[in-house]
Amino acid sequence: MHERFSFKGKDELLNKARQLGYDLPYTEDLSFLFLPLSLAPVTPQGGRQSEVPFAVPNRFVVQPMEGYDSLSDGGPSDLTRRRYLRYAGGGSGTIWYEAVAVSPGGRSNPGQLWINERNASAFSLLNADIMQSAGRLNIKPLLVIQLTHSGRYSKPEMKPVPLVAAPNPVLDKTEPHLLTDMELGKIQDQYIHAAKLSADAGFNAIDVKACHGYLMIELLAAKSRGESIYGGELPAERFRFMIETISRIRTSVPGIIITTRLNMSDCYEGGFGMDGSNKPDYSEALMLAGELEKAGVSLVNLSMGSPYHNPHVTRPYDTPVPGTKVPEEHPLAGVMKMIEGTALFQKKFPAIRFVGSAYSWLRQYAPNVGAAVIKNGDASLIGFGRNSFAYPSMPLDILKNGKADPSKVCITCSGCTRLIRNFRPGGCVIRDKEIYGKELKKLIADGK
C-alpha cells in the first residue's frame, strides 16, 4: 500500500522497511560517498585499451533530469546554464547532462537540448564555466552527455510524431511510423556526428541512452521487428544497433568514455526485460551488460520503467501528477528494486562501475542509504535526479555538516514532473520557487 514519507527519525524508516520485509542498507558513516573512484578503461574484446582513465572525485552523481528550457536551436539557455552551474557549485563528482537529442526530429519537446554545429560552442562554453565553478571547490567533475533519439515520444513541435522500432499494443495511441533499417542507419550516423561534437565541446563521456521507452531501448525489445538486421527473437539481433553505435563512436572519437543509462526492465508488457508472463526479468539486461563489457564500456547508469507509463518504479513519490492514480505499491518497493537490481549487476560485473538510482524519496536519509550501498559493494556511484533539482548543494552540506539538511531535500511532490509534462521549464517548485514556483502558478492559472 502506498504511503507518504512521514518518518521522524531513521529508526521509524528502518522499522517500516523491516515491516515490509526489506533490509534497507543504512550507515552513519558518510565518508564512503567521498571516496575517489578511478574510472579505469575496459579493453574491448580483441582490441586495445581505448578509453582515457578518469579520477572521479566522489560518488555523487547528478542524474540526467530534463529542464525543457533550451533555446530554439537546441542550445543551452540562461535557465539551462543556471541549473548546471548550480550543480557545479554543489560538489557532485559527476554531472550527467540531461537527454540531448541527436537530431531535430528526435526531440521529445521543443525545449529539449539538441547538439549541432550551430550551438556546439555554447555547450563548450557552459562546460568550461562548470569546470571553473567546480574548480573553486577543488573538484574536477566527470561531464557526461546523454545522447538520445526520442523515438515513439518524439514531439519536436509539440505534436506527437511517433517513430518506433516495433509496434507496442500497450503504448501505441496512434498509428506510429515504423522506422526502416535505412532510416535507423541514418539515425546511427546522427549519433556519431553528435558524439564528435560532444567530444569537441569538452565532455568526458558519451551516454548512449537506452532507457525510459525511447528509441534505443525499444530496439532492445523489438522481437516483432521482421526482416530487419536490428530486431528479432534473438537478443544478438536486438542488441546489434546499440553495440554498432558504441563501436562506431569508439572508432570516431578515440579516448572518449562510452557509457549508457540502461533500463534493467521496462516493467510493462512488450518492453525490454520482461518474461513471458509480463514480469520483470533481468536476464537479457545482464546478457547485454556482458556485451557492453566486451565492447569496452566501463560505466553504466541503471534505471527501470518509463516516466510516461509507470514513473513510480524508479521515481517513487508522495504525490502523483494530477490525474494520475496513486500506485498500489509502497514507495520503498521502488527504492529496494533499484538497490537490489543494481547490486545484482555490480556483483556480476565488478569491472564496470554501476550508478544506482531511486534515492530521492528517502529525503535526508538517502545519503546514509547510498553510503551503505557503496560500503557493501552494491553500486559504485549514487545518483540523484529530483533531489539535484531541489538541493544541488547536498554534497557540500554533508561535507561541512556531516548530514543532509531536511529543509532542503526533495519532497517528491511531482511538481517538477507536472511542469515538464506540460512543456514548461522544469525545476523544483518548492526549494527553487522564485523561478519554478511561479511556473507552476502559471500552469495552474492555465487550468493544467
Side-chain angles (χ1 to χ4, degrees):
M1 181 179 293
H2 189 268
E3 179 181 2
R4 294 172 65 90
F5 190 99
S6 60
F7 308 105
K8 295 180 175 60
K10 68 167 186 178
D11 291 338
E12 287 189 15
L13 173 64
L14 296 175
N15 285 338
K16 171 56 70 172
R18 282 190 286 269
Q19 289 172 18
L20 295 171
Y22 302 133
D23 183 15
L24 183 67
Y26 193 94
T27 181
E28 295 289 354
D29 185 358
L30 300 184
S31 65
F32 294 96
L33 296 171
F34 295 94
L35 295 174
L37 179 70
S38 175
L39 197 57
V42 175
T43 304
Q45 193 175 61
R48 299 178 180 179
Q49 191 179 90
S50 53
E51 292 180 357
V52 177
F54 192 96
V56 183
N58 60 50
R59 307 305 178 95
F60 290 96
V61 177
V62 173
Q63 291 281 46
M65 287 286 290
E66 283 190 68
Y68 282 37
D69 55 14
S70 79
L71 298 174
S72 59
D73 71 350
S77 67
D78 288 343
L79 267 183
T80 313
R81 288 180 54 82
R82 178 183 180 273
R83 279 190 295 116
Y84 282 91
L85 292 176
R86 278 162 55 89
Y87 300 150
S92 291
T94 299
I95 298 176
W96 206 295
Y97 268 63
E98 65 202 83
V100 179
V102 298
S103 68
R107 296 169 86 182
S108 65
N109 65 88
Q112 184 175 48
L113 294 173
W114 158 44
I115 190 167
N116 56 71
E117 291 90 345
R118 295 191 302 277
N119 63 31
S121 60
F123 282 95
S124 180
L125 179 60
L126 176 53
N127 284 339
D129 290 345
I130 286 172
M131 297 306 289
Q132 183 179 45
S133 179
R136 297 189 190 105
L137 306 174
N138 200 29
I139 289 176
K140 181 183 178 183
L142 177 74
L143 298 182
V144 186
I145 185 170
Q146 184 176 79
L147 296 183
T148 190
H149 188 290
S150 296
R152 73 166 51 251
Y153 297 112
S154 294
K155 292 183 181 179
E157 296 179 5
M158 300 285 280
K159 182 181 178 181
V161 186
L163 305 171
V164 306
N168 185 301
V170 174
L171 304 179
D172 290 336
K173 306 299 182 187
T174 58
E175 188 70 26
H177 172 73
L178 182 63
L179 291 162
T180 66
D181 283 5
M182 183 176 293
E183 288 171 320
L184 286 172
K186 291 179 180 178
I187 289 172
Q188 191 176 88
D189 290 342
Q190 292 166 348
Y191 270 92
I192 310 311
H193 182 60
K196 291 177 182 178
L197 292 174
S198 301
D200 290 342
F203 288 98
N204 308 113
I206 306 293
D207 168 9
V208 179
K209 183 178 184 179
C211 62
H212 302 166
Y214 298 109
L215 181 60
M216 193 68 69
I217 189 77
E218 279 221 327
L219 283 162
L220 297 179
K223 292 182 180 180
S224 63
R225 188 179 174 84
E227 298 182 1
S228 168
I229 63 171
Y230 297 127
E233 284 296 325
L234 295 177
E237 297 172 328
R238 288 178 276 118
F239 295 174
R240 186 193 304 272
F241 186 85
M242 185 175 186
I243 298 300
E244 269 187 10
T245 304
I246 288 171
S247 178
R248 287 188 62 192
I249 291 173
R250 191 174 297 289
T251 300
S252 302
V253 193
I256 198 79
I257 295 167
I258 302 177
T259 178
T260 181
R261 189 156 202 223
L262 173 67
N263 259 19
M264 295 183 284
S265 171
D266 287 341
C267 300
Y268 54 74
E269 182 181 352
F272 180 65
M274 301 294 288
D275 66 13
S277 58
N278 290 319
K279 294 181 180 179
D281 178 359
Y282 301 157
S283 57
E284 285 200 353
L286 286 164
M287 192 183 306
L288 176 59
E291 294 303 308
L292 292 171
E293 186 175 45
K294 291 177 185 176
V297 173
S298 58
L299 175 66
V300 174
N301 192 335
L302 291 175
S303 188
M304 293 179 74
S306 166
Y308 298 94
H309 191 70
N310 48 14
H312 65 278
V313 173
T314 193
R315 296 179 187 170
Y317 49 72
D318 272 10
T319 310
V321 172
T324 304
K325 292 182 179 180
V326 175
E328 293 182 4
E329 71 176 32
H330 195 282
L332 278 170
V335 172
M336 291 305 302
K337 281 177 193 172
M338 280 304 310
I339 289 175
E340 292 170 353
T342 304
L344 175 67
F345 281 75
Q346 186 65 82
K347 294 293 175 65
K348 187 170 179 63
F349 299 99
I352 298 177
R353 308 300 192 178
F354 287 95
V355 183
S357 305
Y359 290 94
S360 291
W361 186 80
L362 297 168
R363 307 321 201 253
Q364 64 268 26
Y365 306 113
N368 303 86
V369 174
V373 168
I374 298 292
K375 178 183 179 181
N376 296 340
D378 290 339
S380 297
L381 301 113
I382 303 300
F384 293 93
R386 293 165 295 169
N387 192 68
S388 292
F389 268 171
Y391 190 10
S393 63
M394 186 173 73
L396 274 189
D397 278 5
I398 294 172
L399 196 59
K400 292 176 182 177
N401 306 318
K403 60 182 180 180
D405 186 340
S407 70
K408 296 180 181 179
V409 296
C410 169
I411 62 170
T412 64
C413 68
S414 297
C416 57
T417 303
R418 187 175 178 183
L419 289 174
I420 290 168
R421 284 194 179 183
N422 286 281
F423 302 101
R424 306 294 179 97
C428 184
V429 302
I430 303 298
R431 310 300 189 196
D432 201 5
K433 61 184 178 183
E434 286 302 311
I435 292 176
Y436 301 103
K438 289 180 180 178
E439 285 292 336
L440 182 59
K441 288 179 180 178
K442 292 178 189 175
L443 190 67
I444 293 170
D446 290 344
K448 296 181 180 179

